[in-house]
Amino acid sequence: MIDHSKKVYLSGLSTLNIKKKISTREYLEYRSKADNHQPEEVLSLFKAYGFDKRNNQHQISEKQHHYEVTISEENSIDCLSKVAESAIGNTDQSKFLQLILVHDTTPIPESITAVMKLKQRLGLKKAISYSLSDRGYAIAPGAIDISTPFLEESSTNLIVCGDFLHAPQQRCLHTAYPKGDAYAGFKVTTEDGDYEVISYFSDTWSAATNNIYTLSEKDYLQLEVDWSERFKKSIGNCFKNGLLTEDSGQTYIILQNISERFFNEFEKTSFNNLIYRRKYSAHVNLGSSDPFYTLQELDQKNQLNAGDRILLGFAGPLGALGYILLQKKKGNEVI
């Protein structure tokens, strides 16, 4: 939790608008053909991921075939650089203490790590740089938790989220929304900013398997129940402890874009009317960046006023969940 003697702010939120979108049906048809012509070294990657391309194509509904998936045609470092540069804005580079790359999907191996390449591109010579993963999509709250204690007066950390799927990683799983490529960046700073960080939390637990590609439909559906129940408890505690209240402004709840069934789990809750769902890639899960895209859309609709509180909920793809609770102060940008 936060050391409340030191206020921190989230500023310069930037997301990448990926223009290429194809239907899930088109994607599956393309992958089916491509997988049958993969070289041996790529087929070995399938085995390493525990994914058998011959029998692990999960059945999806006709409705899911029409969902449009965001697919990046640019190099992932270029995409990460765009959101990072936008997030940095006019901030003096000497103020950056840490550069943190958070991701769930594994970047394509290169001669140097993705975060080191990003550091070179941005010219953040003094910043300590490192990557965080293996906490599912709830990695951003964990990044804030790890990095915030080291912030000094008038200093800043840069956090960049990026998920780019490549073979053998799969976009479709049972009843879930398909996974899309996505990138987001923001600063966490001790200087007054766009949102004050009120609280954050992250947790992991053991799922039926640690391999998403071998997850049965029954076990996946149980995960959706686990995520919804844990969110209900966390949100309830925020209201109980006075972290969420409608006394000082409007309250908004933004949850990971998981599936229609997942959101239906909240229909009978007292806070269902507080949940905001985005229009951009409305039926796509944007991984570790997902709630940030929704937050940016909400703010650009000019619905947020100073004092409003927004809970960003992150979950999946296995036993992982977290949230960041923000209070609106001012501005952000889309690129």
Side-chain angles (χ1 to χ4, degrees), residues 262-279:
F262 169 76
F263 282 103
N264 289 342
E265 291 285 330
F266 296 91
E267 284 185 349
K268 295 182 180 179
T269 63
S270 60
F271 53 79
N272 184 57
N273 64 320
L274 303 179
I275 295 175
Y276 176 81
R277 298 185 64 181
R278 67 170 181 266
K279 303 296 186 294

Side-chain angles (χ1 to χ4, degrees), residues 263-315:
F263 282 103
N264 289 342
E265 291 285 330
F266 296 91
E267 284 185 349
K268 295 182 180 179
T269 63
S270 60
F271 53 79
N272 184 57
N273 64 320
L274 303 179
I275 295 175
Y276 176 81
R277 298 185 64 181
R278 67 170 181 266
K279 303 296 186 294
Y280 174 83
S281 293
H283 301 107
V284 178
N285 188 335
L286 298 176
S288 56
S289 304
D290 189 272
F292 295 116
Y293 275 82
T294 313
L295 172 62
Q296 190 145 54
E297 179 182 287
L298 175 63
D299 202 9
Q300 288 172 346
K301 290 175 69 176
N302 296 317
Q303 288 187 216
L304 293 177
N305 299 305
D308 288 351
R309 291 200 174 187
I310 313 101
L311 185 140
L312 307 183
F314 303 77

